[in-house]
Amino acid sequence: IYFMNGMMDFDLSERSVTEIGFDHGPDHLSGSLILPNQNHDGPIALIIHGDGPQDRFSGDGYLPLFNALLDQNIGIYSWDKAGIGDSSGNWLDQSMEDRATEAVAALDMIASKRPQSSGKIGFLGFSQAGWVIPKAANLTPDNAFGVIISGAVNWQDQGAFYTRTRLLTEGKTEPEISDEITRKQTRDAVIFAPDAKYSTYLETVGQDAPAPMTEDRFNFVKRNITADAKDDLTRVTSPILALFGADDLNVDAKTDFATYQSILTGRNGYNEIVLFADATHGLLRSGLFNYQLAADMPATTQLLFTVMGRDAYAPGVINKLSAWIGNVTDKAN
Protein backbone atom coordinates (compact mmCIF):
# COMPACT_ATOMS: atom_id res chain seq x y z
CA ILE A 1 0.00 0.00 0.00
CA TYR A 2 2.79 2.38 1.02
CA PHE A 3 4.54 1.76 -2.30
CA MET A 4 1.34 2.49 -4.26
CA ASN A 5 0.61 5.67 -2.30
CA GLY A 6 4.08 7.00 -3.09
CA MET A 7 3.80 6.11 -6.76
CA MET A 8 0.41 7.85 -7.02
CA ASP A 9 2.09 11.06 -5.87
CA PHE A 10 3.90 11.09 -9.25
CA ASP A 11 0.66 10.81 -11.24
CA LEU A 12 -1.36 13.78 -12.52
CA SER A 13 -3.82 11.79 -14.65
CA GLU A 14 -6.71 12.46 -12.24
CA ARG A 15 -6.05 16.22 -12.23
CA SER A 16 -7.23 19.02 -14.48
CA VAL A 17 -4.07 19.82 -16.48
CA THR A 18 -4.01 22.56 -19.13
CA GLU A 19 -1.00 23.36 -21.31
CA ILE A 20 -0.70 27.13 -21.23
CA GLY A 21 2.13 29.51 -22.04
CA PHE A 22 3.03 33.20 -21.95
CA ASP A 23 5.49 35.61 -23.52
CA HIS A 24 8.29 37.39 -21.72
CA GLY A 25 10.43 39.64 -23.90
CA PRO A 26 11.47 37.58 -26.94
CA ASP A 27 10.86 34.27 -25.13
CA HIS A 28 7.77 32.09 -25.14
CA LEU A 29 7.49 30.09 -21.91
CA SER A 30 5.48 26.86 -21.93
CA GLY A 31 3.86 25.52 -18.80
CA SER A 32 1.09 23.52 -17.18
CA LEU A 33 -1.80 24.82 -15.09
CA ILE A 34 -2.81 22.01 -12.72
CA LEU A 35 -6.03 22.42 -10.77
CA PRO A 36 -7.79 20.17 -8.24
CA ASN A 37 -10.84 20.38 -10.55
CA GLN A 38 -12.20 22.43 -13.44
CA ASN A 39 -14.33 24.60 -11.14
CA HIS A 40 -11.40 25.59 -8.94
CA ASP A 41 -11.74 29.11 -7.54
CA GLY A 42 -9.16 28.76 -4.77
CA PRO A 43 -5.49 29.73 -4.53
CA ILE A 44 -2.98 29.15 -7.32
CA ALA A 45 0.76 28.93 -6.61
CA LEU A 46 3.17 29.96 -9.38
CA ILE A 47 6.32 27.86 -9.14
CA ILE A 48 9.66 29.72 -9.18
CA HIS A 49 12.53 27.32 -9.83
CA GLY A 50 15.90 27.20 -8.16
CA ASP A 51 19.17 27.17 -10.12
CA GLY A 52 19.81 24.92 -13.09
CA PRO A 53 18.11 23.79 -16.31
CA GLN A 54 14.70 23.00 -14.80
CA ASP A 55 11.58 21.89 -16.59
CA ARG A 56 8.09 22.55 -15.21
CA PHE A 57 8.11 19.38 -13.07
CA SER A 58 11.83 19.46 -12.20
CA GLY A 59 12.28 16.01 -13.74
CA ASP A 60 9.12 14.87 -11.87
CA GLY A 61 10.73 15.75 -8.52
CA TYR A 62 8.04 18.38 -7.84
CA LEU A 63 5.10 16.02 -8.36
CA PRO A 64 4.67 14.71 -4.78
CA LEU A 65 4.55 18.29 -3.49
CA PHE A 66 2.18 19.35 -6.28
CA ASN A 67 -0.20 16.48 -5.54
CA ALA A 68 -0.09 17.21 -1.81
CA LEU A 69 -1.01 20.86 -2.47
CA LEU A 70 -3.72 19.91 -4.97
CA ASP A 71 -5.26 17.67 -2.28
CA GLN A 72 -5.51 20.82 -0.13
CA ASN A 73 -7.32 22.72 -2.90
CA ILE A 74 -4.26 24.69 -4.02
CA GLY A 75 -3.75 24.97 -7.80
CA ILE A 76 -0.32 25.05 -9.42
CA TYR A 77 1.14 26.83 -12.44
CA SER A 78 4.66 25.79 -13.41
CA TRP A 79 6.63 26.44 -16.59
CA ASP A 80 9.80 25.24 -18.30
CA LYS A 81 12.71 27.65 -17.83
CA ALA A 82 13.76 29.56 -20.94
CA GLY A 83 15.46 27.16 -23.35
CA ILE A 84 14.32 24.05 -21.43
CA GLY A 85 11.54 21.68 -22.50
CA ASP A 86 9.13 23.57 -24.77
CA SER A 87 10.27 27.09 -23.79
CA SER A 88 12.36 29.26 -26.09
CA GLY A 89 15.33 31.40 -25.06
CA ASN A 90 18.16 30.70 -22.61
CA TRP A 91 17.71 30.87 -18.83
CA LEU A 92 21.43 31.59 -18.45
CA ASP A 93 20.88 34.95 -20.18
CA GLN A 94 18.71 36.09 -17.25
CA SER A 95 19.40 38.33 -14.30
CA MET A 96 17.36 37.93 -11.11
CA GLU A 97 15.40 41.03 -12.25
CA ASP A 98 14.61 39.24 -15.53
CA ARG A 99 13.40 36.21 -13.60
CA ALA A 100 11.19 38.46 -11.45
CA THR A 101 9.57 40.21 -14.43
CA GLU A 102 9.01 36.77 -15.99
CA ALA A 103 7.23 35.65 -12.80
CA VAL A 104 5.03 38.76 -12.91
CA ALA A 105 4.17 38.06 -16.56
CA ALA A 106 3.11 34.55 -15.52
CA LEU A 107 0.97 35.95 -12.70
CA ASP A 108 -0.72 38.45 -15.04
CA MET A 109 -1.47 35.68 -17.54
CA ILE A 110 -2.95 33.31 -14.93
CA ALA A 111 -4.98 36.14 -13.36
CA SER A 112 -6.51 36.91 -16.77
CA LYS A 113 -7.28 33.22 -17.48
CA ARG A 114 -8.64 32.44 -13.99
CA PRO A 115 -10.52 35.53 -12.78
CA GLN A 116 -12.34 33.28 -10.28
CA SER A 117 -9.02 32.98 -8.39
CA SER A 118 -8.47 36.74 -8.40
CA GLY A 119 -6.67 37.90 -5.27
CA LYS A 120 -5.50 34.35 -4.47
CA ILE A 121 -2.56 33.97 -6.88
CA GLY A 122 0.96 34.00 -5.45
CA PHE A 123 4.49 32.64 -5.75
CA LEU A 124 6.12 29.49 -4.38
CA GLY A 125 9.79 28.91 -5.05
CA PHE A 126 13.02 27.27 -4.05
CA SER A 127 16.58 28.36 -3.26
CA GLN A 128 17.47 30.91 -5.98
CA ALA A 129 13.82 32.00 -5.82
CA GLY A 130 14.91 33.78 -2.64
CA TRP A 131 16.24 36.51 -4.94
CA VAL A 132 13.35 36.33 -7.41
CA ILE A 133 10.18 36.28 -5.27
CA PRO A 134 10.88 39.44 -3.21
CA LYS A 135 11.57 41.35 -6.44
CA ALA A 136 8.42 39.97 -8.08
CA ALA A 137 6.37 40.75 -4.97
CA ASN A 138 7.55 44.35 -5.08
CA LEU A 139 6.69 44.61 -8.78
CA THR A 140 3.13 43.33 -8.16
CA PRO A 141 2.20 44.27 -4.59
CA ASP A 142 -1.29 42.78 -4.97
CA ASN A 143 0.10 39.24 -5.29
CA ALA A 144 -1.60 37.05 -2.67
CA PHE A 145 1.45 35.39 -1.13
CA GLY A 146 5.09 34.42 -1.47
CA VAL A 147 6.42 31.10 -0.18
CA ILE A 148 10.21 30.93 -0.18
CA ILE A 149 11.76 27.51 0.49
CA SER A 150 15.43 27.57 1.53
CA GLY A 151 15.90 31.03 0.06
CA ALA A 152 19.46 32.26 -0.34
CA VAL A 153 20.10 35.83 0.86
CA ASN A 154 23.56 36.83 -0.40
CA TRP A 155 25.06 35.15 -3.48
CA GLN A 156 28.67 35.30 -2.33
CA ASP A 157 27.91 34.23 1.25
CA GLN A 158 25.90 31.34 -0.11
CA GLY A 159 28.80 30.33 -2.39
CA ALA A 160 31.21 30.39 0.56
CA PHE A 161 28.85 28.26 2.66
CA TYR A 162 28.44 25.76 -0.18
CA THR A 163 32.21 25.52 -0.63
CA ARG A 164 32.77 25.15 3.13
CA THR A 165 30.24 22.28 3.33
CA ARG A 166 31.84 20.50 0.36
CA LEU A 167 35.36 20.85 1.78
CA LEU A 168 34.22 19.60 5.21
CA THR A 169 32.78 16.53 3.48
CA GLU A 170 36.16 16.02 1.80
CA GLY A 171 37.82 16.03 5.23
CA LYS A 172 39.64 19.37 4.94
CA THR A 173 40.75 21.14 8.15
CA GLU A 174 39.40 24.54 9.29
CA PRO A 175 42.59 26.43 8.28
CA GLU A 176 42.56 24.72 4.86
CA ILE A 177 38.90 25.62 4.37
CA SER A 178 39.43 29.27 5.37
CA ASP A 179 42.42 29.55 3.02
CA GLU A 180 40.46 28.01 0.14
CA ILE A 181 37.45 30.31 0.64
CA THR A 182 39.63 33.43 0.92
CA ARG A 183 41.54 32.42 -2.21
CA LYS A 184 38.31 31.75 -4.11
CA GLN A 185 36.75 35.09 -3.06
CA THR A 186 39.88 37.02 -4.07
CA ARG A 187 39.92 35.22 -7.43
CA ASP A 188 36.17 35.71 -8.00
CA ALA A 189 36.48 39.48 -7.44
CA VAL A 190 38.81 39.55 -10.46
CA ILE A 191 37.26 36.99 -12.81
CA PHE A 192 33.67 38.14 -12.27
CA ALA A 193 34.35 41.88 -12.28
CA PRO A 194 31.84 43.78 -14.48
CA ASP A 195 34.36 44.17 -17.32
CA ALA A 196 35.92 40.69 -16.95
CA LYS A 197 36.18 38.43 -20.00
CA TYR A 198 35.49 34.70 -20.28
CA SER A 199 38.97 34.18 -21.72
CA THR A 200 40.49 35.62 -18.52
CA TYR A 201 38.36 33.24 -16.47
CA LEU A 202 39.62 30.25 -18.49
CA GLU A 203 43.24 31.38 -18.09
CA THR A 204 42.77 31.84 -14.34
CA VAL A 205 40.95 28.61 -13.48
CA GLY A 206 42.19 26.39 -16.29
CA GLN A 207 44.93 24.76 -14.23
CA ASP A 208 42.77 23.79 -11.23
CA ALA A 209 39.22 23.45 -12.63
CA PRO A 210 38.21 19.88 -13.47
CA ALA A 211 35.16 21.18 -15.35
CA PRO A 212 35.30 24.90 -16.20
CA MET A 213 32.03 26.82 -16.62
CA THR A 214 30.59 27.30 -20.08
CA GLU A 215 30.64 30.87 -21.35
CA ASP A 216 26.87 31.12 -20.78
CA ARG A 217 27.23 30.00 -17.17
CA PHE A 218 30.16 32.37 -16.63
CA ASN A 219 28.07 35.30 -17.86
CA PHE A 220 25.12 34.19 -15.70
CA VAL A 221 27.30 34.21 -12.57
CA LYS A 222 28.92 37.52 -13.53
CA ARG A 223 25.46 39.05 -14.02
CA ASN A 224 24.14 37.83 -10.66
CA ILE A 225 27.12 37.53 -8.30
CA THR A 226 26.17 40.69 -6.39
CA ALA A 227 22.61 39.41 -5.73
CA ASP A 228 21.41 40.11 -2.19
CA ALA A 229 17.79 39.75 -1.10
CA LYS A 230 17.87 42.01 1.97
CA ASP A 231 16.91 45.28 0.28
CA ASP A 232 14.03 43.67 -1.63
CA LEU A 233 12.80 41.86 1.49
CA THR A 234 12.67 45.11 3.47
CA ARG A 235 10.20 46.52 0.92
CA VAL A 236 7.83 43.53 0.57
CA THR A 237 4.37 44.30 1.95
CA SER A 238 2.52 41.14 0.79
CA PRO A 239 2.57 38.03 3.04
CA ILE A 240 5.70 35.87 3.04
CA LEU A 241 6.19 32.36 4.40
CA ALA A 242 9.88 31.45 4.55
CA LEU A 243 10.77 27.81 5.27
CA PHE A 244 14.27 26.51 5.99
CA GLY A 245 15.77 23.09 6.74
CA ALA A 246 18.22 22.99 9.64
CA ASP A 247 20.41 20.41 7.85
CA ASP A 248 20.63 22.33 4.54
CA LEU A 249 23.96 21.61 2.81
CA ASN A 250 23.56 24.33 0.15
CA VAL A 251 22.34 27.43 1.97
CA ASP A 252 23.32 28.69 5.44
CA ALA A 253 19.80 28.05 6.74
CA LYS A 254 20.31 29.15 10.34
CA THR A 255 21.87 32.49 9.36
CA ASP A 256 19.36 33.13 6.57
CA PHE A 257 16.48 32.17 8.90
CA ALA A 258 17.70 34.80 11.37
CA THR A 259 18.02 37.40 8.58
CA TYR A 260 14.46 36.73 7.39
CA GLN A 261 13.19 36.93 10.98
CA SER A 262 14.87 40.28 11.61
CA ILE A 263 13.51 41.80 8.36
CA LEU A 264 10.03 40.28 8.02
CA THR A 265 8.73 39.80 11.55
CA GLY A 266 5.82 42.19 12.11
CA ARG A 267 5.86 43.65 8.58
CA ASN A 268 2.73 41.73 7.58
CA GLY A 269 0.47 39.95 10.05
CA TYR A 270 0.68 36.75 8.02
CA ASN A 271 4.49 36.64 7.75
CA GLU A 272 6.01 33.50 9.16
CA ILE A 273 9.58 32.18 9.19
CA VAL A 274 10.08 28.52 10.12
CA LEU A 275 13.22 26.42 10.59
CA PHE A 276 12.49 22.68 10.35
CA ALA A 277 14.75 20.29 12.26
CA ASP A 278 16.02 17.26 10.33
CA ALA A 279 15.19 18.81 6.95
CA THR A 280 17.31 19.22 3.80
CA HIS A 281 17.67 22.08 1.29
CA GLY A 282 14.50 20.76 -0.41
CA LEU A 283 12.83 20.19 3.01
CA LEU A 284 13.05 16.40 2.67
CA ARG A 285 13.88 14.17 5.65
CA SER A 286 17.61 14.76 6.11
CA GLY A 287 18.26 11.31 7.61
CA LEU A 288 17.40 9.83 4.20
CA PHE A 289 17.86 12.46 1.49
CA ASN A 290 20.63 14.93 2.37
CA TYR A 291 22.84 15.60 -0.68
CA GLN A 292 24.18 18.87 -2.10
CA LEU A 293 23.16 17.90 -5.62
CA ALA A 294 20.36 15.67 -6.87
CA ALA A 295 23.04 14.05 -9.07
CA ASP A 296 24.85 12.91 -5.89
CA MET A 297 21.83 10.88 -4.81
CA PRO A 298 22.37 7.12 -5.24
CA ALA A 299 19.85 5.16 -7.31
CA THR A 300 18.58 3.38 -4.18
CA THR A 301 17.83 6.76 -2.55
CA GLN A 302 16.06 7.99 -5.69
CA LEU A 303 13.95 4.83 -5.59
CA LEU A 304 13.13 5.48 -1.94
CA PHE A 305 11.90 8.98 -2.88
CA THR A 306 9.64 7.41 -5.52
CA VAL A 307 8.26 4.93 -2.99
CA MET A 308 7.70 7.54 -0.27
CA GLY A 309 6.29 10.34 -2.42
CA ARG A 310 5.05 13.20 -0.21
CA ASP A 311 6.15 11.26 2.90
CA ALA A 312 9.75 12.01 1.89
CA TYR A 313 9.18 15.57 3.17
CA ALA A 314 10.21 16.35 6.73
CA PRO A 315 7.30 16.09 9.20
CA GLY A 316 5.13 19.20 9.30
CA VAL A 317 6.42 20.80 6.09
CA ILE A 318 3.43 20.11 3.81
CA ASN A 319 0.87 20.85 6.54
CA LYS A 320 2.50 24.21 7.31
CA LEU A 321 2.75 25.13 3.64
CA SER A 322 -0.81 24.24 2.65
CA ALA A 323 -2.46 25.55 5.84
CA TRP A 324 -0.63 28.88 5.55
CA ILE A 325 -1.57 29.40 1.87
CA GLY A 326 -5.18 28.46 2.70
CA ASN A 327 -5.24 30.85 5.64
CA VAL A 328 -3.74 33.79 3.73
CA THR A 329 -6.05 33.36 0.73
CA ASP A 330 -9.21 32.84 2.82
CA LYS A 331 -9.14 36.58 3.48
CA ALA A 332 -9.71 37.16 -0.25
CA ASN A 333 -13.22 35.67 -0.04
Side-chain angles (χ1 to χ4, degrees), residues 254-288:
K254 294 178 182 71
T255 301
D256 291 354
F257 166 77
T259 300
Y260 267 74
Q261 273 197 316
S262 67
I263 294 173
L264 291 178
T265 302
R267 282 190 59 79
N268 181 301
Y270 288 99
N271 284 357
E272 216 173 320
I273 302 95
V274 185
L275 182 67
F276 286 94
D278 307 316
T280 70
H281 185 59
L283 300 184
L284 302 178
R285 296 170 186 264
S286 55
L288 299 173

Side-chain angles (χ1 to χ4, degrees), residues 11-18 32-45 65-77 110 114 116-117 120 310 322 325-326 329:
D11 179 23
L12 293 174
S13 62
E14 300 296 307
R15 308 296 188 180
S16 166
V17 183
T18 309
S32 297
L33 176 64
I34 313 149
L35 302 175
N37 54 67
Q38 279 291 348
N39 303 319
H40 181 70
D41 62 358
I44 299 175
L65 179 62
F66 286 7
N67 270 308
L69 293 174
L70 289 158
D71 283 348
Q72 298 301 318
N73 201 41
I74 297 165
I76 303 283
Y77 180 62
I110 294 295
R114 304 294 300 182
Q116 58 271 60
S117 287
K120 302 179 187 179
R310 70 186 70 181
S322 52
I325 291 175
T329 53

Side-chain angles (χ1 to χ4, degrees), residues 9 22 24 26 47 55 61 77 80 83 91 103 121 138 155 171 175 182 196 212-214 268 283 294 303 307:
D9 275 342
F22 64 99
H24 177 248
I47 304 301
D55 66 36
Y77 180 62
D80 301 332
W91 65 276
I121 304 169
N138 288 327
W155 184 291
T182 303
M213 291 179 191
T214 63
N268 181 301
L283 300 184
L303 179 62
V307 171

Side-chain angles (χ1 to χ4, degrees), residues 13 45 57 123 125 149 157 183 190 210 231 274 278-279 314 325 331:
S13 62
F57 300 132
F123 305 108
I149 294 174
D157 290 349
R183 194 171 67 83
V190 175
D231 183 50
V274 185
D278 307 316
I325 291 175
K331 73 182 194 303

